[in-house]
Amino acid sequence: MSPPLKIGICGLGTVGSGTFNLLHENADLLKARAGVSLDVVHVGARRDNPACDLSGAQVSRDIFAVAADPEVAVVVELIGGTTVARELVEAAIRAGKHVVTANKALIAEHGNALFALAVEHSVQLRYEAAIAGGIPIVKALREGLSGNRIEWLAGIINGTTNFILTEMRDKGRDFADVLAEAQALGYAEADPTFDVEGVDAAHKLVILASLAFGMPLKFESVYTEGITRLQPQDVAYAEELGYVIKHLGIARQTNQGVELRVHPTLIPRQRLLANVDGVRNAVLIEGNAVGPTLYCGAGAGDRPTASAVLADLVDLGRATGSADPSQLPALGVASGNLQDLPVLAMEDVESPWYLRMEARDKPGVMSGLTSLFSEQGISIEALIQKAPLEGQTLVSVIVVTNQARQGSVKDAVRAIEGLDSIDGDVTCIRVEQLDG
Amino acid sequence: MSPPLKIGICGLGTVGSGTFNLLHENADLLKARAGVSLDVVHVGARRDNPACDLSGAQVSRDIFAVAADPEVAVVVELIGGTTVARELVEAAIRAGKHVVTANKALIAEHGNALFALAVEHSVQLRYEAAIAGGIPIVKALREGLSGNRIEWLAGIINGTTNFILTEMRDKGRDFADVLAEAQALGYAEADPTFDVEGVDAAHKLVILASLAFGMPLKFESVYTEGITRLQPQDVAYAEELGYVIKHLGIARQTNQGVELRVHPTLIPRQRLLANVDGVRNAVLIEGNAVGPTLYCGAGAGDRPTASAVLADLVDLGRATGSADPSQLPALGVASGNLQDLPVLAMEDVESPWYLRMEARDKPGVMSGLTSLFSEQGISIEALIQKAPLEGQTLVSVIVVTNQARQGSVKDAVRAIEGLDSIDGDVTCIRVEQLDG
C-alpha cells in the first residue's frame, strides 16, 4: 500500500469538525477505498472544538502554517468567506498542495483565477462540497454526464428557501412568519439575506452552469431574485392552477446566449422536482443523450457536506503515487478549451409567466387586459377572475401566459399598471414546464 | 494535446449504433472534456447497420479481430450475452486493452473473475452503462459517496416492470393486459421473463450491492421475485392504505449479513421513489454521512446507455498519457480489500408485510386471525375488512404488520391458510418505509 495522503484541515466550525470526525469514524473504509490511509496531520483553527479529539494532529492557530507545512499534501479549506480564504487557497496552491474546499462564494467569485493558478502549479482544486451538500452533483456533471451536451439544468440549491416555500404552501403561512421559525430551528442564518435574496443560490448556479457548458465563471452575470416578496395568495393560486412555486437556479443554452437566473418559479405539480420538500436540494439536468436526470438529497449540514469533502479526498488518495490528477479539469474541460459564451440579457429570456393583478370589478376590464397582451404578441394560456370578497370592490385576476419574451411581458405589465381599472402593481412570477 | 484514444466497438445493435453515432455527434465536446480525441478506429459486427456511417473505421465481421488489433486501446463490448461476450472481454484484457461494457449479466455473473484479470493486466474494466442506463450511479457509489458507509439502497432498476406497475395502478388494468401492450410498444422483449421475473433487476442489484458494501459479486445469492402474480386488487388496496407497489432491488447491511433481494414492495406514497413512474429508473441510497440521496433518469434506450458508455470513455481519455487508471478499483476497493460478507437468509430478513386473505364472513374470524399473529410475536399496524360484494360470502381481509422476521410471517401465514374460515392462499407482499 502507498504511503498515507497527508491532510491539513483549516477551520473547525460545523463543517470542519464534521469532516475531521468523519475522517476518523470511516477511516477503515476510506483506506480500503482510496488505497491509502487518509491522515489528518495538521489542523489550523483559531480555537479548538470540543467535538474533536485533536491528539495525533499538529494544531496551529495560524491557518497559514497549515498551507506552509511541507508534510501536508492536501489543504482542506473550511473557514468560509472570500478574503482570507482566497489568500489561504492561493498560498496552498503556490506551495504545491492540492486544495479541497466547500466554499461556494470563493469558487463562484474567484474560481477562474484560482483554477488557473492550480493548473500552473499542477495541483487539483476540488469543490464537490460547494454545491448541494452531499449530492455528488459536481462529479455527475464533470464526469458522469461527460458524454452529453447539456441543454439546461434547474435546481433547488438553497435549503432555507425551500423550507420556507414548503411551509408557506403546506400551512398557508406568510414569508416573515416562516422565516422567523426557520431562524429559530437553525435552518436560516441570523442575517438571512444571502439565502432569501438568492445570492447563495446564484453562487451555486454559476458553478453548475460553467461545469455544464464549459464556460468561465460569470457570477456577475447571474440574474438574482429572492423569495421575500412572495405572497401566500400567489402560493395558493399557483396550487389551484396545478403548479408549485419553487426557488430555482436555471441555466440554459440558447442560440443567442446562456441563460443564468435565480428566481421563484411555478413548476407543474407532477414533476419530481416539485415534490422535493423541506431543506432538501435537487438538481434536474437535461442532456442531449441521456435526457433528464435528477439528483436529490441533503443540501447542507455538517455530515452531508463532509461526505462531499471526503469524496474529493478519496479521489486524490486514489491518484496518489500513480496519477497526475491535473488531467481532471476543474470545470470539466481544460482552461484553454473553456468557451466564453455570452450570457443572454434577461429581457430576451423566454418563458411562460404567472401574473396577478387587482382589478376593479367593472365591465370591459377583461377585454382591456387581453388586448394589451395581444398588442405585445403574448398569447394567454389561462385567465382566472376570482369572485370579489364580501364588501370588496377589487377582484384578483390571474393570467398565465404562453412562452413569451420577458421584454414583451414587462411592456404589457407597464401598460396594465397604467389602466384606471387596475389597482397597484402586477405580481410577476416566471413559469417553467421542465419537460425536457 | 495528447494523441487520440483509439476505440474499438464490438456490436452494432441498438446500443452499439447509438454509441457509435453519439461519439460522432458530440465529438468536439468529448475532445474538449477528455483532453484527447475519442476516435473509433475499428468496428466489429456481423453486419453493417444502415444507421451508422462506418467510413473512416476498419470494419471486421469477426469481433475478435477488434480485440487483437494492436492499434485499439479500448474495446467497447456491446454484443450482449455471457458466452462470446466473456471470451471477447477476456481476449481484450489479455491483449492489454481497457474494456467498457453495458453488459449487466456478464458483470453480475462473471465480474469477479474479469475484474481480477483486469487488475492482473493493469487495465480498466468499466461498466457504468450496465446499471440504470444513463444515470451515473456506478460513479456515484464508487466515487461520489466514497466517504460514506452505505447502510442500504433501494432501486427501481427495471423500466419494463415499472412501466407495467404504473399502468396497473393508473388504469386498474391487469398484469397480462399491460404486458401485451408493453411488448407492442417495444418496452418489453418478446420473451419478457428476464424483466418480469426480476432476473435483470437481480443482475443490477448485485453489482450495486458489491459497489456499496465492497464485497465480491454474489449473483447466486440474490432472492428474486417478479411481478407476474400481482393482482389489480392488491394495487388498489395498497393505494387505499397510502402505499404504491414498486418492484425494487434492495440491499442492506445488517449485523447478521447483507440483504440482497428483488421483489414487489409497498412503499409510502409520499416518497419520491413512489412517484418515479413509467419506464424511468431511480436508486435511493442511504449513507451514514450524507443520509438519503436519490438518482433518477432513463434506465434504458440507445442514447441514455450510450451516455454512460461515453462517460467511461471520457474517464479513460482523461487518464491517457498520465495516469495509471488501475488506481480506480472496479468495485470501489482493491480486490484484496473486498470483504466476503455473508448474505442474510431470507427467512431472517425483517420488514413489515402486506397480507391479503379471503375469509368467510362469520363471527370470530378476526379474533382467530389476530391470535395467530400474536403467537408468532407479530404486531399489526393495520387491519381492514372489506364489505362483502353482493351475493358473495367471502370478504377480503388486509393486514399490514409492523416490522417482522420473514420466517415468523411465513409460519403465521401457513397457520392462517389452515383455518376453515380462510379460502385459498394468502397474498404476501413486503413493505418498506425507506425513511432512512
Side-chain angles (χ1 to χ4, degrees), chain A residues 81-157:
Chain A
T82 55
T83 308
V84 180
R86 182 181 182 175
E87 291 167 24
L88 175 71
V89 169
E90 287 179 349
I93 292 172
R94 289 184 199 282
K97 299 175 195 320
H98 302 300
V99 173
V100 174
T101 180
N103 193 328
K104 61 217 80 167
L106 179 69
I107 298 295
E109 297 178 20
H110 304 296
N112 293 324
L114 293 174
F115 292 142
L117 192 68
V119 169
E120 191 187 315
H121 291 269
S122 296
V123 297
Q124 287 275 297
L125 170 52
R126 293 292 196 101
Y127 53 92
E128 180 65 77
I131 308 162
I135 307 170
I137 193 71
V138 172
K139 189 167 277 287
L141 276 169
R142 188 185 54 203
E143 302 163 44
L145 302 179
S146 59
N148 291 261
R149 176 185 150 94
I150 305 298
E151 311 281 0
W152 54 262
L153 59 85
I156 295 169
I157 46 182

Coordinates of all heavy atoms in Angstrom, one line a residue, chain A residues 81-157:
Chain A
G81 N -15.9 32.5 3.8 CA -15.6 33.9 3.4 C -14.7 33.9 2.1 O -14.4 32.8 1.6
T82 N -14.4 35.1 1.6 CA -13.7 35.1 0.3 C -12.4 35.9 0.4 O -11.7 35.9 -0.6 CB -14.6 35.8 -0.8 OG1 -15.0 37.1 -0.3 CG2 -15.8 34.9 -1.1
T83 N -12.1 36.5 1.6 CA -10.8 37.3 1.6 C -9.7 36.4 2.1 O -8.8 36.0 1.4 CB -11.0 38.5 2.5 OG1 -12.2 39.2 2.1 CG2 -9.8 39.4 2.4
V84 N -9.7 36.0 3.4 CA -8.7 35.2 4.0 C -8.7 33.8 3.3 O -7.6 33.3 3.0 CB -8.8 35.0 5.5 CG1 -7.7 34.1 6.1 CG2 -8.8 36.4 6.2
A85 N -9.9 33.3 3.0 CA -9.9 32.0 2.3 C -9.2 32.0 1.0 O -8.5 31.1 0.6 CB -11.4 31.6 2.1
R86 N -9.4 33.1 0.3 CA -8.7 33.2 -1.0 C -7.2 33.2 -0.8 O -6.4 32.5 -1.5 CB -9.1 34.5 -1.8 CG -8.5 34.6 -3.1 CD -8.9 35.9 -3.8 NE -8.3 35.9 -5.1 CZ -8.5 36.8 -6.1 NH1 -9.4 37.8 -5.8 NH2 -7.9 36.8 -7.2
E87 N -6.7 34.0 0.1 CA -5.2 34.1 0.4 C -4.7 32.7 0.8 O -3.7 32.2 0.4 CB -4.9 35.1 1.5 CG -5.2 36.5 1.1 CD -5.1 37.5 2.3 OE1 -4.5 37.1 3.3 OE2 -5.8 38.5 2.2
L88 N -5.5 32.0 1.6 CA -5.1 30.7 2.1 C -5.0 29.7 0.9 O -4.0 28.9 0.8 CB -6.1 30.1 3.1 CG -5.9 28.7 3.6 CD1 -4.6 28.6 4.5 CD2 -7.1 28.2 4.3
V89 N -6.0 29.7 0.1 CA -6.0 28.7 -1.0 C -4.9 29.1 -2.0 O -4.2 28.2 -2.5 CB -7.4 28.8 -1.8 CG1 -7.4 28.0 -3.1 CG2 -8.5 28.2 -0.8
E90 N -4.6 30.3 -2.2 CA -3.5 30.7 -3.1 C -2.2 30.3 -2.5 O -1.3 29.7 -3.2 CB -3.5 32.2 -3.4 CG -4.7 32.7 -4.3 CD -4.7 34.2 -4.5 OE1 -4.0 34.9 -3.8 OE2 -5.4 34.6 -5.4
A91 N -2.0 30.5 -1.2 CA -0.8 30.1 -0.6 C -0.6 28.6 -0.7 O 0.5 28.1 -0.9 CB -0.8 30.5 0.9
A92 N -1.7 27.8 -0.4 CA -1.5 26.4 -0.5 C -1.2 25.9 -1.9 O -0.3 25.0 -2.1 CB -2.9 25.7 -0.1
I93 N -1.8 26.5 -2.9 CA -1.5 26.1 -4.3 C -0.1 26.4 -4.7 O 0.6 25.6 -5.2 CB -2.5 26.8 -5.3 CG1 -3.9 26.2 -5.1 CG2 -2.1 26.6 -6.7 CD1 -5.0 27.0 -5.9
R94 N 0.3 27.6 -4.3 CA 1.7 28.0 -4.6 C 2.7 27.1 -3.9 O 3.9 27.0 -4.3 CB 1.9 29.5 -4.1 CG 1.2 30.5 -5.0 CD 1.6 31.9 -4.6 NE 0.6 32.9 -5.1 CZ 0.5 33.3 -6.4 NH1 1.4 32.9 -7.3 NH2 -0.4 34.2 -6.8
A95 N 2.3 26.6 -2.7 CA 3.2 25.6 -2.0 C 3.1 24.2 -2.6 O 3.6 23.3 -2.1 CB 2.9 25.6 -0.5
G96 N 2.3 24.1 -3.7 CA 2.3 22.8 -4.4 C 1.3 21.8 -3.8 O 1.5 20.6 -4.0
K97 N 0.3 22.3 -3.1 CA -0.6 21.4 -2.4 C -1.9 21.4 -3.1 O -2.4 22.4 -3.7 CB -0.8 21.8 -1.0 CG 0.5 21.8 -0.2 CD 0.3 22.3 1.2 CE 1.7 22.6 1.9 NZ 2.7 21.6 1.6
H98 N -2.6 20.2 -3.2 CA -4.0 20.1 -3.6 C -4.8 20.9 -2.6 O -4.5 20.9 -1.4 CB -4.4 18.7 -3.8 CG -3.6 17.9 -4.7 ND1 -3.4 18.2 -6.0 CD2 -2.9 16.7 -4.5 CE1 -2.6 17.3 -6.6 NE2 -2.3 16.4 -5.7
V99 N -6.0 21.4 -3.1 CA -6.9 22.0 -2.2 C -8.3 21.4 -2.4 O -8.7 21.2 -3.5 CB -7.0 23.6 -2.5 CG1 -8.1 24.2 -1.6 CG2 -5.6 24.2 -2.2
V100 N -9.0 21.2 -1.2 CA -10.4 20.8 -1.3 C -11.2 21.8 -0.5 O -10.7 22.2 0.6 CB -10.6 19.4 -0.6 CG1 -12.1 19.1 -0.6 CG2 -9.9 18.3 -1.5
T101 N -12.2 22.4 -1.1 CA -13.0 23.4 -0.4 C -14.5 23.2 -0.5 O -15.0 22.5 -1.4 CB -12.6 24.8 -1.0 OG1 -13.4 25.8 -0.3 CG2 -13.0 24.9 -2.5
A102 N -15.2 23.7 0.5 CA -16.7 23.7 0.5 C -17.2 25.1 0.2 O -18.4 25.4 0.4 CB -17.2 23.2 1.8
N103 N -16.3 26.0 -0.2 CA -16.6 27.4 -0.2 C -17.2 27.9 -1.6 O -16.5 28.2 -2.5 CB -15.3 28.2 0.1 CG -15.5 29.6 0.4 OD1 -16.4 30.3 -0.1 ND2 -14.7 30.1 1.3
K104 N -18.6 27.9 -1.7 CA -19.2 28.3 -3.0 C -18.9 29.7 -3.4 O -18.7 30.0 -4.5 CB -20.7 28.0 -2.9 CG -21.4 28.8 -1.8 CD -22.5 28.1 -1.1 CE -21.9 27.2 -0.1 NZ -22.9 26.6 0.9
A105 N -18.9 30.6 -2.4 CA -18.7 32.0 -2.7 C -17.3 32.2 -3.3 O -17.1 32.9 -4.3 CB -18.8 32.9 -1.5
L106 N -16.3 31.6 -2.7 CA -14.9 31.6 -3.2 C -14.8 31.2 -4.6 O -14.2 31.8 -5.5 CB -14.0 30.8 -2.3 CG -12.5 30.8 -2.6 CD1 -11.9 32.2 -2.4 CD2 -11.8 29.7 -1.8
I107 N -15.4 30.0 -4.9 CA -15.3 29.4 -6.3 C -16.1 30.3 -7.3 O -15.6 30.6 -8.3 CB -15.8 28.0 -6.3 CG1 -14.9 27.1 -5.4 CG2 -15.8 27.4 -7.7 CD1 -13.5 26.9 -5.8
A108 N -17.3 30.7 -6.9 CA -18.1 31.5 -7.8 C -17.4 32.8 -8.1 O -17.5 33.3 -9.3 CB -19.5 31.7 -7.2
E109 N -16.8 33.5 -7.2 CA -16.3 34.8 -7.4 C -14.8 34.8 -7.8 O -14.4 35.7 -8.5 CB -16.5 35.6 -6.1 CG -18.0 35.8 -5.8 CD -18.2 36.6 -4.5 OE1 -17.3 37.3 -4.1 OE2 -19.3 36.5 -3.9
H110 N -14.1 33.8 -7.4 CA -12.6 33.9 -7.7 C -12.1 32.6 -8.4 O -10.9 32.4 -8.5 CB -11.8 34.1 -6.4 CG -12.2 35.4 -5.7 ND1 -12.1 36.6 -6.3 CD2 -12.8 35.6 -4.5 CE1 -12.5 37.5 -5.4 NE2 -13.0 36.9 -4.4
G111 N -13.1 31.7 -8.8 CA -12.7 30.4 -9.3 C -11.8 30.5 -10.6 O -10.9 29.7 -10.7
N112 N -12.1 31.4 -11.5 CA -11.3 31.5 -12.7 C -9.9 31.7 -12.4 O -9.0 30.9 -13.0 CB -11.8 32.6 -13.6 CG -13.2 32.4 -14.1 OD1 -13.6 31.3 -14.4 ND2 -14.0 33.5 -14.2
A113 N -9.5 32.6 -11.5 CA -8.1 32.8 -11.2 C -7.5 31.7 -10.4 O -6.4 31.2 -10.7 CB -8.0 34.1 -10.4
L114 N -8.3 31.1 -9.5 CA -7.8 30.0 -8.7 C -7.6 28.7 -9.5 O -6.6 28.0 -9.3 CB -8.8 29.7 -7.5 CG -8.9 30.9 -6.5 CD1 -10.0 30.5 -5.4 CD2 -7.5 31.1 -5.8
F115 N -8.5 28.4 -10.4 CA -8.3 27.2 -11.2 C -7.0 27.4 -12.1 O -6.3 26.5 -12.3 CB -9.5 27.0 -12.1 CG -10.7 26.5 -11.3 CD1 -12.0 27.0 -11.7 CD2 -10.6 25.7 -10.2 CE1 -13.1 26.6 -11.0 CE2 -11.8 25.3 -9.5 CZ -13.0 25.8 -9.9
A116 N -6.9 28.6 -12.6 CA -5.7 28.9 -13.5 C -4.4 28.7 -12.7 O -3.4 28.1 -13.1 CB -5.7 30.3 -14.1
L117 N -4.4 29.2 -11.4 CA -3.3 29.0 -10.6 C -3.0 27.6 -10.3 O -1.8 27.1 -10.2 CB -3.5 29.8 -9.3 CG -2.3 30.0 -8.3 CD1 -1.3 30.9 -9.0 CD2 -2.7 30.6 -7.0
A118 N -4.1 26.8 -10.1 CA -3.9 25.4 -9.8 C -3.3 24.6 -11.0 O -2.4 23.8 -10.8 CB -5.2 24.7 -9.4
V119 N -3.7 25.0 -12.2 CA -3.1 24.3 -13.4 C -1.7 24.7 -13.5 O -0.8 23.8 -13.8 CB -3.9 24.8 -14.6 CG1 -3.1 24.4 -15.9 CG2 -5.3 24.2 -14.7
E120 N -1.4 26.0 -13.2 CA 0.0 26.4 -13.3 C 0.9 25.7 -12.3 O 2.1 25.4 -12.7 CB 0.0 27.9 -12.9 CG 1.3 28.7 -13.2 CD 1.2 30.1 -12.6 OE1 0.1 30.8 -12.8 OE2 2.1 30.5 -11.9
H121 N 0.4 25.3 -11.2 CA 1.2 24.6 -10.2 C 0.9 23.1 -10.2 O 1.4 22.4 -9.3 CB 1.0 25.2 -8.8 CG 1.5 26.5 -8.6 ND1 2.8 26.8 -8.2 CD2 1.0 27.8 -8.9 CE1 3.0 28.1 -8.2 NE2 1.9 28.7 -8.6
S122 N 0.2 22.6 -11.2 CA -0.1 21.1 -11.4 C -0.7 20.5 -10.1 O -0.3 19.4 -9.7 CB 1.2 20.4 -11.8 OG 1.7 20.8 -13.0
V123 N -1.6 21.2 -9.5 CA -2.4 20.6 -8.4 C -3.9 20.7 -8.7 O -4.3 21.4 -9.6 CB -2.1 21.4 -7.1 CG1 -0.6 21.2 -6.7 CG2 -2.5 22.8 -7.1
Q124 N -4.6 20.0 -7.9 CA -6.1 20.0 -8.0 C -6.7 20.9 -7.1 O -6.3 21.0 -5.9 CB -6.6 18.6 -7.7 CG -6.3 17.6 -8.8 CD -7.3 17.6 -9.9 OE1 -8.5 17.3 -9.7 NE2 -6.9 18.0 -11.1
L125 N -7.8 21.6 -7.5 CA -8.6 22.4 -6.6 C -10.0 21.8 -6.7 O -10.7 21.9 -7.8 CB -8.6 23.9 -7.1 CG -9.6 24.8 -6.4 CD1 -9.6 24.7 -4.9 CD2 -9.4 26.3 -6.8
R126 N -10.5 21.1 -5.7 CA -11.7 20.4 -5.8 C -12.8 21.0 -4.9 O -12.5 21.5 -3.8 CB -11.5 18.9 -5.3 CG -10.6 18.1 -6.2 CD -11.3 17.8 -7.5 NE -10.6 16.8 -8.2 CZ -11.1 15.5 -8.3 NH1 -12.2 15.2 -7.6 NH2 -10.4 14.6 -8.9
Y127 N -14.0 20.9 -5.3 CA -15.1 21.7 -4.7 C -16.5 21.0 -4.7 O -17.5 21.7 -4.8 CB -15.2 23.1 -5.3 CG -15.4 23.0 -6.9 CD1 -16.6 23.0 -7.4 CD2 -14.3 22.9 -7.7 CE1 -16.8 22.8 -8.8 CE2 -14.4 22.7 -9.1 CZ -15.7 22.7 -9.6 OH -15.9 22.5 -10.9
E128 N -16.4 19.7 -4.6 CA -17.7 19.0 -4.6 C -18.7 19.5 -3.5 O -19.9 19.6 -3.7 CB -17.5 17.5 -4.5 CG -18.7 16.6 -4.4 CD -19.5 16.6 -5.8 OE1 -19.0 15.9 -6.7 OE2 -20.5 17.2 -5.8
A129 N -18.1 19.8 -2.4 CA -19.0 20.2 -1.2 C -19.5 21.6 -1.4 O -20.4 22.0 -0.6 CB -18.1 20.2 0.0
A130 N -19.1 22.4 -2.4 CA -19.6 23.7 -2.6 C -21.0 23.8 -3.1 O -21.7 24.9 -2.9 CB -18.7 24.5 -3.5
I131 N -21.5 22.8 -3.7 CA -22.9 22.8 -4.3 C -23.7 21.6 -3.8 O -23.3 20.5 -3.9 CB -22.8 22.7 -5.8 CG1 -21.8 23.8 -6.3 CG2 -24.2 22.9 -6.5 CD1 -21.4 23.5 -7.7
A132 N -24.9 21.9 -3.3 CA -25.9 20.9 -3.0 C -25.3 19.8 -2.0 O -25.6 18.7 -2.1 CB -26.4 20.2 -4.3
G133 N -24.5 20.3 -1.0 CA -24.0 19.5 0.1 C -23.5 18.1 -0.4 O -22.5 18.1 -1.1
G134 N -24.1 17.0 0.1 CA -23.6 15.7 -0.1 C -24.0 15.1 -1.5 O -23.5 14.0 -1.8
I135 N -24.8 15.8 -2.2 CA -25.2 15.2 -3.5 C -24.0 15.3 -4.5 O -23.5 16.4 -4.6 CB -26.4 16.0 -4.1 CG1 -27.5 16.1 -3.2 CG2 -26.8 15.4 -5.5 CD1 -28.7 17.0 -3.6
P136 N -23.5 14.2 -5.1 CA -22.3 14.3 -5.9 C -22.6 14.9 -7.3 O -22.5 14.3 -8.3 CB -21.8 12.9 -6.0 CG -23.0 12.0 -5.7 CD -24.0 12.8 -4.9
I137 N -23.0 16.2 -7.2 CA -23.5 16.8 -8.5 C -22.4 17.4 -9.3 O -22.5 17.4 -10.6 CB -24.5 17.9 -8.1 CG1 -25.3 18.4 -9.4 CG2 -23.9 19.1 -7.4 CD1 -26.2 17.4 -9.9
V138 N -21.3 17.8 -8.7 CA -20.1 18.2 -9.5 C -19.6 17.0 -10.3 O -19.3 17.1 -11.5 CB -19.0 18.8 -8.6 CG1 -17.7 19.1 -9.4 CG2 -19.5 20.1 -7.9
K139 N -19.5 15.9 -9.6 CA -19.0 14.7 -10.3 C -19.9 14.2 -11.4 O -19.5 13.8 -12.4 CB -18.8 13.6 -9.2 CG -18.0 12.3 -9.8 CD -17.6 11.4 -8.7 CE -16.2 11.8 -8.1 NZ -15.1 11.6 -9.0
A140 N -21.2 14.3 -11.1 CA -22.2 13.9 -12.2 C -22.0 14.8 -13.4 O -21.9 14.2 -14.5 CB -23.6 14.1 -11.6
L141 N -21.8 16.1 -13.3 CA -21.7 17.0 -14.4 C -20.3 16.8 -15.1 O -20.2 16.7 -16.3 CB -21.9 18.4 -14.0 CG -23.4 18.9 -14.0 CD1 -23.4 20.3 -13.4 CD2 -24.0 18.9 -15.4
R142 N -19.3 16.8 -14.2 CA -17.9 16.8 -14.8 C -17.5 15.5 -15.4 O -16.7 15.4 -16.4 CB -16.9 17.2 -13.6 CG -15.5 17.4 -14.0 CD -14.6 17.6 -12.8 NE -14.8 16.5 -11.9 CZ -14.6 16.5 -10.5 NH1 -14.2 17.7 -10.0 NH2 -14.8 15.5 -9.8
E143 N -18.1 14.4 -14.8 CA -17.7 13.0 -15.3 C -18.9 12.2 -15.7 O -18.8 11.6 -16.8 CB -16.9 12.3 -14.1 CG -15.7 13.1 -13.7 CD -15.1 12.7 -12.3 OE1 -15.1 11.5 -12.1 OE2 -14.8 13.6 -11.5
G144 N -19.9 12.1 -14.9 CA -21.0 11.1 -15.2 C -21.7 11.4 -16.4 O -22.2 10.5 -17.1
L145 N -21.9 12.7 -16.7 CA -22.6 13.1 -17.9 C -21.7 13.7 -19.0 O -22.2 14.4 -19.9 CB -23.7 14.2 -17.5 CG -24.7 13.7 -16.5 CD1 -25.7 14.8 -16.2 CD2 -25.5 12.4 -16.9
S146 N -20.4 13.4 -18.9 CA -19.5 14.0 -19.8 C -19.7 13.6 -21.3 O -19.2 14.3 -22.2 CB -18.0 13.6 -19.4 OG -17.9 12.2 -19.5
G147 N -20.5 12.6 -21.6 CA -20.8 12.3 -22.9 C -21.9 13.2 -23.6 O -22.2 13.0 -24.7
N148 N -22.5 14.0 -22.8 CA -23.7 14.8 -23.2 C -23.4 16.3 -23.4 O -22.6 16.9 -22.7 CB -24.8 14.8 -22.1 CG -25.4 13.4 -21.9 OD1 -26.5 13.2 -22.4 ND2 -24.7 12.5 -21.2
R149 N -24.0 16.8 -24.4 CA -24.2 18.3 -24.5 C -25.3 18.6 -23.5 O -26.4 18.1 -23.6 CB -24.6 18.7 -25.9 CG -24.9 20.2 -26.0 CD -25.4 20.5 -27.4 NE -26.3 21.7 -27.4 CZ -25.9 23.0 -27.6 NH1 -24.6 23.2 -27.9 NH2 -26.7 24.0 -27.5
I150 N -25.0 19.4 -22.5 CA -26.1 19.7 -21.5 C -26.9 20.9 -22.1 O -26.4 21.9 -22.4 CB -25.5 20.2 -20.1 CG1 -24.5 19.1 -19.6 CG2 -26.6 20.5 -19.1 CD1 -25.1 17.7 -19.4
E151 N -28.2 20.6 -22.2 CA -29.2 21.6 -22.7 C -29.6 22.6 -21.7 O -29.6 23.8 -22.0 CB -30.4 20.9 -23.3 CG -30.2 19.7 -24.1 CD -29.8 20.0 -25.6 OE1 -29.7 21.2 -25.9 OE2 -29.6 19.1 -26.4
W152 N -29.9 22.1 -20.5 CA -30.3 23.0 -19.4 C -30.3 22.3 -18.1 O -30.2 21.1 -18.1 CB -31.7 23.6 -19.6 CG -32.9 22.7 -19.9 CD1 -33.4 22.3 -21.1 CD2 -33.6 22.0 -18.9 NE1 -34.4 21.4 -20.9 CE2 -34.6 21.2 -19.6 CE3 -33.6 21.9 -17.5 CZ2 -35.5 20.4 -18.9 CZ3 -34.5 21.1 -16.8 CH2 -35.5 20.3 -17.6
L153 N -30.3 23.0 -17.0 CA -30.4 22.5 -15.7 C -31.2 23.4 -14.9 O -31.3 24.6 -15.1 CB -29.1 22.2 -15.1 CG -28.1 23.3 -14.9 CD1 -28.3 24.0 -13.6 CD2 -26.6 22.8 -14.9
A154 N -31.9 22.8 -13.9 CA -32.8 23.6 -13.0 C -32.6 23.0 -11.6 O -32.8 21.8 -11.4 CB -34.2 23.6 -13.4
G155 N -32.3 23.8 -10.6 CA -32.0 23.2 -9.3 C -32.6 23.9 -8.1 O -32.7 25.2 -8.1
I156 N -33.1 23.2 -7.1 CA -33.4 23.7 -5.8 C -32.1 23.6 -5.0 O -31.7 22.5 -4.6 CB -34.5 22.8 -5.1 CG1 -35.8 22.9 -5.9 CG2 -34.7 23.3 -3.7 CD1 -36.9 21.9 -5.5
I157 N -31.4 24.7 -5.0 CA -30.0 24.7 -4.4 C -29.8 25.5 -3.2 O -28.7 25.9 -2.9 CB -29.0 25.0 -5.6 CG1 -29.4 26.2 -6.3 CG2 -28.8 23.8 -6.5 CD1 -28.5 26.6 -7.5

